[in-house]
Amino acid sequence: VFVGDLLDGRVPGRKHFDADSVRLDFLANLKSYVNHGLSVAESLFRPLSKAGVPLVCVSGNHDEYLEEIGLTAALVKELGGSARYLGGEGFIRVRTGRRGQAYTTKIYATHAYGGGRRAGGKVNNMQATYEWVDADVVLAGHVHDGDIRIIPAYSVPEKGTLSLIKTPRVMYRAPSFVQRAVEGSVAYSGKKSLPSTDEGLVYVRLDPQERRAVRYECEF
């Protein structure tokens, strides 16, 4: 599995292009440089292709700077045979073991990007639970901020047609029934200078058969 960033791919019009750091002869001969890079990459992957090793390629963000060329897709086309192009992401099934005792390993492949793409500390805390708990719903309290987050989990069946399975994963953070401020008293929230939190009740209607989950808020 190749996960992208085949060439640097910095060309005019892309956000990381810096005219002062790129030689003028590179700009004048861009097509030949790209073709050369493609040729070198093909020579690196060709032994795998000749040996019949399945090759799956995902494009990276540096490759996408060369949008007009479609670098990774062009590489897979040149290699042919068992090479496959997934685009930005995809699932792969690997079967091992003997007949009658075969195992299927599901792999999710993506180039991925940096940090800063998650919802925030309290939501992240619930979401991270799924790293070690195999459940459909996670319930939590403690932080007083009520929230329901429904995030679909994607997979593929171990056998049969390679089709996409979408299953909702529910994260329920129980809201608080404790008022932030009560006239004439200083409670825990006041002593700790905590902000106001959600009050009320929220719930989820879960349909396992349809693989669907919907948020609701009670009105009083």
Side-chain angles (χ1 to χ4, degrees):
V1 180
F2 174 70
V3 289
D5 281 359
L6 186 62
L7 297 183
D8 195 356
R10 303 185 187 206
V11 298
R14 303 291 176 262
K15 63 179 181 178
H16 294 291
F17 171 69
D18 182 358
D20 294 330
S21 65
V22 179
R23 302 192 312 271
L24 292 177
D25 67 308
F26 180 87
L27 300 179
N29 301 285
L30 179 60
K31 185 176 180 179
S32 63
Y33 278 120
V34 171
N35 286 336
H36 174 69
L38 190 60
S39 176
V40 171
E42 184 187 349
S43 69
L44 295 174
F45 287 113
R46 179 62 67 185
L48 291 175
S49 183
K50 281 187 175 182
V53 176
L55 175 65
V56 177
C57 295
V58 175
S59 60
N61 58 308
H62 283 271
D63 308 326
E64 290 170 2
Y65 299 152
L66 299 166
E67 288 173 347
E68 295 83 358
I69 298 166
L71 191 69
T72 312
L75 172 65
V76 169
K77 186 178 179 181
E78 289 292 322
L79 290 170
S82 58
R84 293 290 182 272
Y85 175 55
L86 293 186
E89 61 175 356
F91 282 98
I92 305 156
R93 283 190 305 207
V94 178
R95 290 194 177 94
T96 54
R98 299 175 180 177
R99 185 175 297 180
Q101 196 178 10
Y103 299 91
T104 299
T105 302
K106 290 181 281 188
I107 300 172
Y108 171 73
T110 180
H111 180 66
Y113 290 87
R117 293 174 184 263
R118 298 187 71 179
K122 293 177 181 179
V123 174
N124 293 349
N125 177 274
M126 286 193 296
Q127 194 166 335
T129 305
Y130 282 114
E131 295 175 3
W132 54 276
V133 170
D134 185 12
D136 299 307
V137 180
V138 167
L139 302 176
H142 185 64
V143 298
H144 297 193
D145 285 310
D147 186 29
I148 294 174
R149 189 171 174 86
I150 302 171
I151 299 179
Y154 296 95
S155 185
V156 290
E158 292 189 4
K159 299 179 180 179
T161 304
L162 188 62
S163 57
L164 198 63
I165 298 173
K166 179 181 175 182
T167 306
R169 280 185 160 180
V170 179
M171 292 171 284
Y172 185 104
R173 179 74 77 170
S176 173
F177 289 89
V178 178
Q179 293 186 7
R180 164 62 178 84
V182 178
E183 189 174 353
S185 66
V186 179
Y188 178 81
S189 296
K191 293 177 182 177
K192 297 293 183 179
S193 233
L194 299 178
S196 298
T197 59
D198 291 301
E199 297 178 15
L201 186 65
V202 288
Y203 69 96
V204 181
R205 189 183 296 275
L206 187 64
D207 187 340
Q209 186 174 357
E210 297 292 329
R211 300 181 188 275
R212 185 177 56 186
V214 183
R215 284 175 287 254
Y216 292 94
E217 184 167 346
C218 289
E219 295 182 7
F220 297 98

